[in-house]
Amino acid sequence: MLDHLAFTAPEPKVIAGAKSDWELVIGMEVHAQVASNAKLFSGASTTFGAEPNSHVAFVDAAMPGMLPVINEFCVAQAVRTGLALKAGINLRSAFDRKNYFYPDLPQGYQISQLYHPIVGEGEIIVDMGPGVARKVRIERIHLEQDAGKSIHDMDPNMSFVDLNRTGVALMEIVSRPDIRGPEEAAAYVAKLRQILRYIGTCDGNMQNGNLRADVNVSVCRPGQYEKYQQTQDFSHLGTRCEIKNMNSMRFIQAAIDYEARRQIAILEDGGSIVQETRLYDPDKGETRSMRSKEEAHDYRYFPCPDLLPLEIEQAWVDDIGAAMPELPDEKKARFVKDLGLSEYDAAVLTAEVENADYFEAVVAVAEDGKLAANWVINELFGRLKKDGLEIGQSPVAPAQLGAIIRLIKSDKISGKIGKDLFEIVFTEGGEPEQIVEARGMIQVTDTGAIEAAVDAVIAANPDQVEKAKANPKLAGWFVGQVIKASGGKANPKAVNDIVAQKLGL
């Protein structure tokens, strides 16, 4: 385990009912769309936003006699995801048919993996603060095909079906019920999204539905969860309800909080919880019943007769593992250890893979991790946020920002001039070294010139001299006046030293 992952678990969320306290127990089923140009069983495109029904192969549309052919790249992406979650990879897995009727499911079944998933047990460490994290166990990851999309708002009398999404590869990532509060649930999805984006197996776009979560919520009395952990006997836990298709961190938290309080009210009133599937209505801020919870036998699962069991070789898995990029936890630990960053700064810089890549490119030029972190987080991120830009749209390239930092480190410019230079590069572009030369921004380090400026300020302000001699802290006023007179170009350290010398401090 990485050094920085020595942690204590957070306290579970406790909700006070009218009669007693209750604790939350949450498990997640996250559907992550596999980043692939083609679908799981056909060569049709997965591009989002195309004309309805324009990316549909014969097999996607369930034309008679059409047979699925598995996409090897999608399998590799699932393996890659399993390795990133420190999970076991099953060299033999198999596909099953999950039978149900819905207008946007032309086959009348979904090809999935119930009995023999491709990925076994793993884990995710979910950071909840310095030294506080929740280890969430992953039960399994299986591959399955997505359904299409029903559209109900284009005509008052008819519904339409778009099959573009039909057959797109999904990874269903199933957790154990280890999450203990709404904030943890959102942080878990955020951490999973971060990992998937780092390894390139899902783009994590929740707005497009490429990452969506089904949230299983139950409540129990304090102490019952510990009994479950000791025995793995679910009878110690309450009956769970599943909230389907959540694609917002904020809504996930709100839905869990509402659902937990709904269950507590029923239980304290002497009722019992019915296991069911529910939907969250963000406009009303409440969950509502969708259908009674199906069990596996309701779907009449059976092995897919069109697909042989999937057998992969350990050497192939090893090759995928050898090509894995650095994971966010590893990168964060390296930034702390090798670059001397604080845990907080390292977490900010590794939150998105694009941010981390940009920062490392700046460090390569600046050759100063701490200074680079300060400039990237405070100056660059602040300026991008102000203009509503993403890191990939930054007008300042990493090499340009690194050059600005090097100019400050070499005392060619002051930190204040560095900020002016950054603004010029951000708005106008150009090479920092050339701008400094052309606009006369080079810092004055000539002690003779600085000394003359100090003498002039002292001579013009005899009253301030007496005050500064009585209270040395007031010497800073002279420093400010000299730097101001130089147009911000006088070396602050040299000015400080000469002022102190002249005032006899």
Side-chain angles (χ1 to χ4, degrees):
M1 182 175 286
L2 299 170
D3 292 341
H4 86 291
L5 292 182
F7 56 83
T8 55
E11 293 296 317
K13 170 89 170 181
V14 176
I15 295 180
K19 298 178 181 178
S20 61
D21 287 344
W22 297 82
E23 291 180 359
L24 277 69
V25 181
I26 302 160
M28 306 281 277
E29 299 168 13
V30 174
H31 294 83
Q33 180 175 318
V34 174
S36 167
N37 291 330
K39 297 181 180 181
L40 183 56
F41 299 117
S42 82
S45 172
T46 60
T47 304
F48 181 81
E51 283 291 312
N53 299 306
S54 61
H55 291 165
V56 188
F58 287 136
V59 69
D60 304 326
M63 292 296 176
M66 295 297 104
L67 295 175
V69 178
I70 194 161
N71 182 336
E72 181 181 327
F73 182 74
C74 292
V75 176
Q77 292 286 61
V79 170
R80 193 172 285 111
T81 301
L83 293 174
L85 303 186
K86 300 174 176 54
I89 307 300
N90 296 320
L91 300 182
R92 190 178 194 277
S93 60
F95 287 94
D96 306 291
R97 284 189 183 179
K98 177 182 181 181
N99 296 273
Y100 65 97
F101 172 78
Y102 210 71
D104 58 19
L105 192 73
Q107 294 163 314
Y109 59 83
Q110 177 189 38
I111 301 178
S112 183
Q113 293 184 313
L114 175 67
Y115 301 111
H116 304 287
I118 189 164
V119 177
E121 294 182 350
E123 66 180 39
I124 295 180
I125 306 299
V126 183
D127 300 309
M128 298 302 299
V132 180
R134 174 76 69 195
K135 181 167 84 170
V136 179
R137 295 169 297 163
I138 300 299
E139 180 182 321
R140 56 188 278 147
I141 303 174
H142 62 259
L143 276 169
E144 62 184 24
Q145 57 180 172
D146 204 351
K149 181 180 181 181
S150 295
I151 302 164
H152 307 293
D153 57 2
M154 288 179 63
D155 187 285
N157 302 311
M158 292 191 296
S159 291
F160 295 87
V161 175
D162 179 6
L163 298 182
N164 279 351
R165 205 171 64 186
T166 304
V168 167
L170 299 178
M171 296 178 287
E172 182 167 339
I173 304 166
V174 182
S175 85
R176 297 283 186 182
D178 292 345
I179 301 164
R180 305 303 311 282
E183 296 80 10
E184 284 184 31
Y188 166 81
V189 175
K191 183 61 176 284
L192 180 57
R193 177 182 181 275
Q194 180 193 36
I195 293 170
L196 296 176
R197 283 172 52 76
Y198 261 72
I199 60 176
T201 58
C202 174
D203 67 13
N205 190 324
M206 299 183 78
Q207 190 175 354
N208 290 355
N210 295 358
L211 189 75
R212 51 194 193 267
D214 299 339
V215 187
N216 289 286
V217 181
S218 67
V219 296
C220 66
R221 296 283 176 81
Q224 290 299 108
Y225 185 81
E226 286 70 23
K227 291 179 181 177
Y228 155 71
Q229 285 286 44
Q230 291 165 7
T231 62
Q232 296 298 300
D233 182 351
F234 285 100
S235 67
H236 294 295
L237 302 179
T239 300
R240 73 184 189 275
C241 290
E242 181 183 44
I243 310 169
K244 291 287 285 186
N245 288 331
M246 303 296 296
N247 66 346
S248 155
M249 307 295 186
R250 184 163 60 89
F251 291 161
I252 284 172
Q253 294 182 70
I256 290 170
D257 188 69
Y258 175 88
E259 179 59 23
R261 294 177 190 277
R262 184 191 74 86
Q263 293 183 20
I264 290 167
I266 291 171
L267 293 168
E268 291 196 338
D269 204 32
S272 58
I273 304 301
V274 176
Q275 184 174 338
E276 63 181 349
T277 300
R278 300 179 69 84
L279 290 175
Y280 177 68
D281 185 334
D283 295 326
K284 295 182 178 179
E286 62 186 31
T287 63
R288 66 173 186 269
S289 182
M290 180 182 174
R291 59 176 180 257
S292 61
K293 178 64 179 174
E294 300 89 347
E295 301 296 342
H297 61 261
D298 294 323
Y299 289 116
R300 304 191 322 280
Y301 277 98
F302 62 85
C304 181
D306 292 337
L307 289 162
L308 290 169
L310 178 61
E311 296 189 359
I312 57 178
E313 296 179 352
Q314 186 61 49
W316 187 64
V317 175
D318 293 342
D319 287 344
I320 293 172
M324 289 280 283
E326 187 177 37
L327 296 172
D329 283 346
E330 295 165 352
K331 194 178 288 289
K332 179 182 169 185
R334 179 169 60 81
F335 284 2
V336 171
K337 182 181 177 185
D338 295 352
L339 301 179
L341 303 192
S342 68
E343 289 246 354
Y344 175 81
D345 284 355
V348 170
L349 291 165
T350 56
E352 296 286 351
V353 65
E354 295 89 351
N355 292 352
D357 290 345
Y358 185 101
F359 168 70
E360 292 209 75
V362 172
V363 173
V365 177
E367 298 178 347
D368 188 315
K370 285 187 176 180
L371 203 53
N374 184 45
W375 274 83
V376 170
I377 293 171
N378 297 317
E379 300 302 324
L380 180 71
F381 288 175
R383 191 68 170 79
L384 291 174
K385 185 176 181 182
K386 180 183 173 185
D387 285 16
L389 298 174
E390 299 291 332
I391 190 75
Q393 301 168 305
S394 172
V396 181
Q400 290 172 307
L401 184 52
I404 293 171
I405 295 168
R406 286 186 69 168
L407 286 167
I408 296 169
K409 274 188 66 181
S410 66
D411 279 339
K412 279 193 174 181
I413 61 173
S414 65
K416 182 181 181 305
I417 292 176
K419 292 185 179 183
D420 295 337
L421 177 58
F422 174 82
E423 185 62 24
I424 292 168
V425 175
F426 193 97
T427 55
E428 302 174 25
E431 292 303 317
E433 295 92 341
Q434 294 174 10
I435 294 169
V436 166
E437 293 282 352
R439 303 198 186 191
M441 300 170 76
I442 294 175
Q443 186 165 244
V444 176
T445 55
D446 177 4
T447 54
I450 293 172
E451 190 171 347
V454 172
D455 287 340
V457 174
I458 288 175
N461 298 277
D463 292 344
Q464 286 292 120
V465 172
E466 296 306 315
K467 289 178 182 178
K469 287 183 176 179
N471 182 2
K473 289 182 180 178
L474 298 178
W477 181 85
F478 288 93
V479 174
Q481 291 299 307
V482 173
I483 291 176
K484 184 179 178 182
S486 72
K489 291 189 282 189
N491 183 303
K493 184 179 184 306
V495 175
N496 265 297
D497 293 344
I498 293 171
V499 166
Q501 177 194 337
K502 293 284 184 179
L503 295 177
L505 302 178

